[in-house]
Amino acid sequence: MSVSFDECDITRTIIEYSSKDLVNFSKVDIIIVGAGPSGLTAGYYLAKRGLKTLILERRLSLGGGIGGGGMLFHKIVASVKAREILDEMNCRYEISKENENLIVMDASELLIKLGSAAINSGAKLIFGISVEDVIYRDNPFRIEGVVIQWSAVHLSGLHVDPLMIRAKAVIDATGHDAEVISVVAKKIKDLGISVLGEKSMYSVKSEDLVVERTGKIIEGLYATGMAVAAYYNLPRMGPIFSSMLLSGKKIAEIVISDITR
Ligand code: 48H
């Protein structure tokens, strides 16, 4: 079968369909900043619930810290507590012979299964966009969206003004630097919040604490994954990903309860 098209058709298709998406997603229910394990898990549960969910990732790939495994070894570990989530996403794993409370899987499989679960449930994931600031309103105070820029513009150092996306809830899933909370702490000083940074490693304790402290930071702004450890000065856990998945699921449940009240 011979088909015919010209270069202009390719260009027009890309620009038209990308623009249509960006207009459609300029106002959403939830913005998740970061497509690492916690952000993708949150995206999966939120979109599954029928909420308009946008995941913004500054890199041109998904998975955050998953791909690096443990010191580049291609396996990663989770506690058995995350089995239900992994089963739901059809992610295969084995019980570790070292300790029956640990399960082990390929980093590549977790990354792909989490990403496809989030997208199949209806979350929109866009690469190459960095969140650099938030939108807020006062009386009463709340975060109502994010300020975005192409990551390539950030890297170029050019002075280019950003665009904005409104949302009922913003989830900081940016990992170790808690970038969204950090920008709020730095710019809206009267809130009196600060990002303390994570503590040194204490895996078993950290796994529980991160999930326990996962929740709302201020009205409209929530934290999941390592951003929780960074905000509350909790210990880090190393390449064990169960608390990232459990934290993602928990934040989705909290946001669902807050915005569908
Ligand atoms: C758009 C952004 C921005 C921004 C960052 O680092 P992540 O994998 O985050 P988590 O919390 O889901 O998972 C943490 C885990 O990977 C890990 O590092 C662990 C368990 N460490 C323990 C230890 O002891 O070291 O993903 C965050 C994602 C990344 O893809 C970033 O590129 C992205 O967020 N991101 N995207 N705008 N401003 N900042």
Side-chain angles (χ1 to χ4, degrees):
M1 185 180 67
S2 92
V3 294
S4 171
F5 49 81
D6 74 12
E7 289 75 7
C8 184
D9 298 329
I10 300 173
T11 302
R12 288 165 65 118
T13 302
I14 289 176
I15 295 177
E16 192 181 322
Y17 281 78
S18 300
S19 304
K20 204 167 95 188
D21 260 2
L22 292 173
V23 169
N24 180 22
F25 282 87
S26 61
K27 193 167 186 185
V28 296
D29 291 321
I30 298 113
I31 294 167
I32 299 171
V33 187
S38 64
L40 290 171
T41 309
Y44 166 69
Y45 286 105
L46 287 160
K48 191 175 162 209
R49 191 50 196 267
L51 294 165
K52 191 170 176 182
T53 304
L54 176 63
I55 309 175
L56 296 172
E57 169 54 54
R58 75 170 163 208
R59 295 189 208 164
L60 302 180
S61 56
L62 76 170
I66 298 174
M71 214 179 93
L72 287 184
F73 286 98
H74 67 280
K75 296 283 182 189
I76 54 174
V77 153
S79 103
V80 287
K81 288 185 189 171
R83 279 180 83 160
E84 208 180 294
I85 298 176
L86 293 165
D87 288 340
E88 199 171 332
M89 294 177 179
N90 292 319
C91 184
R92 295 167 301 172
Y93 52 81
E94 286 174 67
I95 305 281
S96 167
K97 291 189 174 72
E98 301 295 327
N99 183 322
E100 62 183 13
N101 293 312
L102 294 178
I103 54 184
V104 58
M105 70 212 94
D106 284 355
S108 57
E109 172 143 1
L110 176 64
L111 190 158
I112 287 163
K113 295 287 170 67
L114 266 180
S116 76
I119 288 170
N120 288 339
S121 72
K124 173 67 76 178
L125 167 56
I126 304 182
F127 292 144
I129 292 184
S130 295
V131 169
E132 62 166 47
D133 204 343
V134 295
I135 303 170
Y136 78 98
R137 293 289 180 268
D138 41 23
N139 303 318
F141 184 91
R142 64 175 290 118
I143 301 300
E144 291 211 345
V146 296
V147 177
I148 58 167
Q149 182 57 271
W150 303 118
S151 300
V153 169
H154 264 292
L155 291 168
S156 74
L158 290 171
H159 181 162
V160 179
D161 269 358
L163 290 176
M164 295 69 65
I165 302 182
R166 295 283 300 270
K168 293 175 188 156
V170 175
I171 301 178
D172 186 336
T174 62
H176 293 266
D177 294 328
E179 290 199 16
V180 184
I181 309 172
S182 294
V183 86
V184 172
K186 186 172 148 214
K187 292 194 166 196
I188 314 179
K189 295 202 181 343
D190 35 329
L191 286 172
I193 63 168
S194 58
V195 175
L196 301 171
E198 74 202 19
K199 271 201 188 75
S200 296
M201 193 160 314
Y202 191 161
S203 302
V204 77
K205 190 169 177 184
S206 168
E207 276 275 290
D208 285 343
L209 283 175
V210 163
V211 181
E212 210 176 288
R213 302 299 287 273
T214 292
K216 182 158 71 183
I217 305 297
I218 48 177
E219 287 304 322
L221 178 60
Y222 300 78
T224 183
M226 282 310 285
V228 177
Y231 182 62
Y232 290 108
N233 186 223
L234 307 179
R236 63 189 297 195
M237 73 290 288
I240 174 162
F241 281 74
S242 15
S243 55
M244 300 299 106
L245 307 183
L246 292 161
S247 167
K249 184 175 185 189
K250 182 175 175 189
I251 205 63
E253 287 162 359
I254 292 170
V255 170
I256 288 166
S257 132
D258 283 1
I259 74 172
T260 58
R261 217 183 268 159

